[in-house]
Every structure is written in C-alpha cells, then in structure tokens.
Amino acid sequence: MPSYYPPVCFHFKVEFIGVQGMDAEQRFQEVSGLSFEIQTEEMVEGGENRFAYKLPKRAKYPNLVLKRGLQTNSALLAWFKSAMDTYFTVTTYDFKPADLLITLMDEADQAVAIWNVVQAYPLKWSTADFKAMDNAIVIETFELAYQYFERQK
C-alpha cells in the first residue's frame, strides 16, 4: 500500500490580503496562471555554426485567472470597480495592489501547499454568456496581473 497519495486539485481557497471585506470570498471554481518560464536570449559565437547559446534573462509570469459563480455584493468586484474607476477618472492608475494566498488543502482542511502571489492588481472582469437554452450557472472571471509568486510549503 503506497504511503503517499498526490493531493487533489479541487480543494483549495484563495485569500486576498489587504482587501477589505474579502474574508467571506475565498471559494473559487477555478484558478489558473500559477506558472512561470525563464526567458532566454540567444547569443551566437563567431565561427560556431552548430548552435547558438541560450542565456537566461528573467522569469515571466502569466496573468492569474480566477473563476466562480456570480456573486452579488462582492468585495472583490468592488475592488476591481474601484481600480477601474480610478483608471478612467484620473491620469494616474492609483490603487492598492493586493497579495494573495492560494492554499491547496487535504481532506482534513490542512494546507498541503501555499502560493503567495505578490502585488496582484485587476486587469479584466467578465461574465459567461447568457444563453436561454443552457442550464448552467453564471460564471464570473477575474483576471489579475502580478509581480511574482513564491511557493511556501
């Protein structure tokens, strides 16, 4: 009998640090964008025609995408709206980014892995298409940019 079972991907929570009223909004249907890649720069050497050196430059992080069922009176949507209102009414994009903790949990609600997403800020909000012939809940999608993330556990 194996002593280790890989964790399941459906038991997780998302916590926004520093966004008022976000304590109750930790459940999401989907989180994507926790990845990175190292960008490289090619350098060719005179006389060496078999290959080009690939030198590492910096890490590149995609946008973080959160999906959940549509909620009314959402603190997350209010945070998004305040950032967008600031963008459209002022010449400088002045709002507070937030750190996020994405926690993967086991069957006993204990943390298996924690990702600390640093300085996330809103980019896009969208909702699923409304279709009279479908029997589905309305999904809202939040897209955020961030500086980097660290895996803590």
Side-chain angles (χ1 to χ4, degrees):
M1 182 163 95
S3 60
Y4 174 76
Y5 292 98
V8 296
C9 65
F10 59 80
H11 194 185
F12 62 92
K13 67 180 178 179
V14 179
E15 299 172 88
F16 283 77
I17 311 301
V19 178
Q20 227 169 9
M22 282 298 299
D23 299 337
E25 299 185 49
Q26 298 180 352
R27 302 293 180 197
F28 289 86
Q29 178 182 358
E30 184 178 324
V31 174
S32 60
L34 281 178
S35 66
F36 70 92
E37 67 179 82
I38 303 297
Q39 295 177 321
T40 60
E41 179 178 351
E42 285 195 5
M43 185 182 84
V44 294
E45 182 180 356
E48 178 59 73
N49 295 325
R50 294 176 296 166
F51 64 91
Y53 292 99
K54 288 189 177 182
L55 304 175
K57 287 174 59 174
R58 64 179 53 98
K60 179 180 176 183
Y61 298 88
N63 293 335
L64 188 67
V65 179
L66 307 174
K67 294 183 180 185
R68 68 175 184 192
L70 183 70
Q71 292 187 7
T72 57
N73 299 323
S74 165
L76 179 56
L77 189 55
W79 180 62
F80 260 69
K81 187 173 177 347
S82 71
M84 293 302 145
D85 288 348
T86 301
Y87 177 72
F88 290 121
T89 58
V90 187
T91 57
T92 59
Y93 202 32
D94 185 32
F95 66 95
K96 294 191 186 260
D99 290 351
L100 282 76
L101 290 177
I102 300 170
T103 306
L104 184 65
M105 297 179 291
D106 63 12
E107 63 277 356
D109 286 340
Q110 299 300 311
V112 174
I114 300 171
W115 290 267
N116 181 21
V117 178
V118 177
Q119 292 186 342
Y121 56 91
L123 290 179
K124 179 181 176 181
W125 175 87
S126 63
T127 183
D129 295 338
F130 301 144
K131 299 178 184 177
M133 299 301 290
D134 283 355
N135 184 15
I137 63 171
V138 177
I139 301 296
E140 62 183 341
T141 302
F142 300 92
E143 189 169 337
L144 303 109
Y146 61 95
Q147 303 305 319
Y148 63 96
F149 68 83
E150 299 174 325
R151 185 168 169 190
Q152 294 181 344
K153 191 172 183 179

